[in-house]
């Protein structure tokens, strides 16, 4: 496939056919992530690859529990809004249980260029906050995830990049630490990537027209 064809073919996959991702393919997908560019070549990621069903279920239970806690707190103000949030977890998070592979992507803090200089020169916090608003650390993570998503397509798989569950990030990290002993000093859960064999018929939303998102200045 040429690059543009792969880009066009990629879509978020939330339904997966039965079947594994081969070890060879998984290593190629991870290699695509490894080769991504990152701010100051910091490579500020760590990929935790999960293929253990029981562990995936435990992560799901942590998400559901946190989702329910938030939804219940919302109920007293507006039951409909609480219920809508309950459905969010079901439709946009728990589907990963249908995938054979879940990559939990950890990131470590990244200090944007200018951060130490601003601190040294005692610039106001608002100036420092603005540096983080552009968040190069997360931009780097995005590059790695997109590389992996595209390589997955290239190899005949599908994936879904997920941040929706991040309201339960602390709880998921805790599950992983308690169940597997995994934790990495200074790293935090940034997103998850579910990978598997795509079920046919996935529908993607459209995109804005180029004229809406692009300005040329000659
Ligand atoms: C940073 C990011 C976070 C996302 N989080 C979720 C998520 O938590 N759950 C989900 O179902 N889709 C998630 N998506 C997928 C988007 O909804 C999807 O990319 C978008 O609707 C466009 O559809 P397409 O990927 O099929 O082209 C996420 C995508 C990105 C880039």
């Amino acid at each position: 496939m040429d690059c543009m064809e792969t880009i066009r073919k990629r879509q978020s996959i939330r339904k997966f056919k039965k079947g594994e991702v081969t070890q060879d393919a998984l290593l190629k997908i991870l290699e695509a992530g490894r080769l991504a560019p990152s701010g100051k070549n910091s490579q500020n990621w760590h990929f935790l690859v999960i293929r253990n069903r029981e562990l995936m279920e435990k992560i799901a239970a942590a998400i559901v529990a946190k989702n329910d806690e938030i939804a219940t707190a919302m109920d007293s103000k507006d039951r409909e809004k609480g219920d809508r949030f309950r459905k969010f977890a079901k439709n946009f998070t728990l589907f990963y249980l249908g995938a054979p592979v879940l990559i939990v992507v950890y990131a470590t803090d990244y200090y944007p260029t200018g951060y130490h200089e601003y601190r040294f020169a005692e610039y106001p916090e608002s100036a420092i906050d603005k540096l983080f608003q552009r968040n190069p650390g997360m931009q780097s993570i995005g590059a790695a995830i997109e590389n992996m998503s595209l390589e997955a397509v290239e190899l005949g798989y599908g994936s879904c990049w997920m941040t929706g569950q991040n309201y339960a990030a602390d709880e998921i990290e805790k599950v992983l630490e308690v169940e597997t002993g995994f934790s990495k000093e200074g790293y935090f859960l940034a997103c998850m990537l579910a990978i598997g064999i795509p079920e046919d018929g996935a529908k993607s939303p459209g995109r804005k027209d180029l004229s809406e998102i692009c300005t040329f200045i000659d």
Side-chain angles (χ1 to χ4, degrees):
M1 256 184 280
D2 79 8
C3 181
M4 203 59 189
E5 203 183 333
T6 310
I7 289 170
R8 283 189 200 284
K9 203 168 169 207
R10 187 217 57 83
Q11 55 182 155
S12 295
I13 300 300
R14 300 184 181 88
K15 285 191 180 142
F16 299 89
K17 289 183 182 161
K18 275 202 172 3
E20 299 302 316
V21 177
T22 66
Q23 178 72 3
D24 183 52
L26 188 53
L27 290 175
K28 283 185 178 149
I29 291 166
L30 290 163
E31 176 70 355
R34 188 181 76 86
L35 294 175
S38 58
K40 300 179 201 165
N41 197 26
S42 57
Q43 302 164 70
N44 59 319
W45 43 64
H46 189 89
F47 309 125
L48 183 65
V49 183
I50 300 178
R51 289 179 284 192
N52 180 303
R53 200 114 295 276
E54 214 178 300
L55 187 56
M56 286 191 199
E57 298 276 0
K58 284 186 175 153
I59 293 170
I63 296 168
V64 170
K66 184 70 178 195
N67 175 272
D68 204 48
E69 177 198 306
I70 300 168
T72 303
M74 294 169 76
D75 283 345
S76 55
K77 290 191 162 192
D78 188 332
R79 176 81 209 204
E80 232 174 83
K81 282 194 175 154
D83 281 343
R84 214 175 303 143
F85 190 58
R86 281 185 184 89
K87 277 193 196 136
F88 172 84
K90 210 161 167 261
N91 296 338
F92 293 102
T93 305
L94 302 179
F95 64 84
Y96 79 78
L97 289 168
V101 177
L102 179 69
I103 302 181
V104 181
V105 180
Y106 282 73
T108 190
D109 287 333
Y110 175 93
Y111 294 97
T113 303
Y115 171 82
H116 297 293
E117 291 76 10
Y118 271 2
R119 279 262 176 258
F120 184 72
E122 295 181 5
Y123 272 60
E125 287 302 318
S126 58
I128 292 170
D129 287 350
K130 277 201 171 175
L131 286 178
F132 280 96
Q133 192 181 22
R134 276 88 189 182
N135 210 329
M138 283 302 121
Q139 293 189 38
S140 304
I141 296 294
I145 307 296
E146 184 65 2
N147 268 13
M148 291 197 278
S149 305
L150 294 175
E151 180 63 5
V153 171
E154 190 74 24
L155 297 168
Y157 297 100
S159 69
C160 191
W161 180 342
M162 303 160 62
T163 57
Q165 73 294 330
N166 281 0
Y167 55 79
D170 289 351
E171 289 78 3
I172 298 169
E173 285 177 11
K174 184 97 194 153
V175 167
L176 292 169
E177 191 168 355
V178 170
E179 296 296 326
T180 71
F182 178 85
S183 73
K184 203 165 157 59
E185 183 70 28
Y187 282 70
F188 57 90
L189 190 162
C191 63
M192 308 201 304
L193 186 69
I195 308 175
I197 303 169
E199 190 66 78
D200 300 331
K203 285 197 175 69
S204 289
R207 294 295 193 269
K208 292 175 185 172
D209 196 81
L210 191 59
S211 61
E212 244 188 283
I213 57 162
C214 180
T215 303
F216 287 92
I217 300 174
D218 293 323

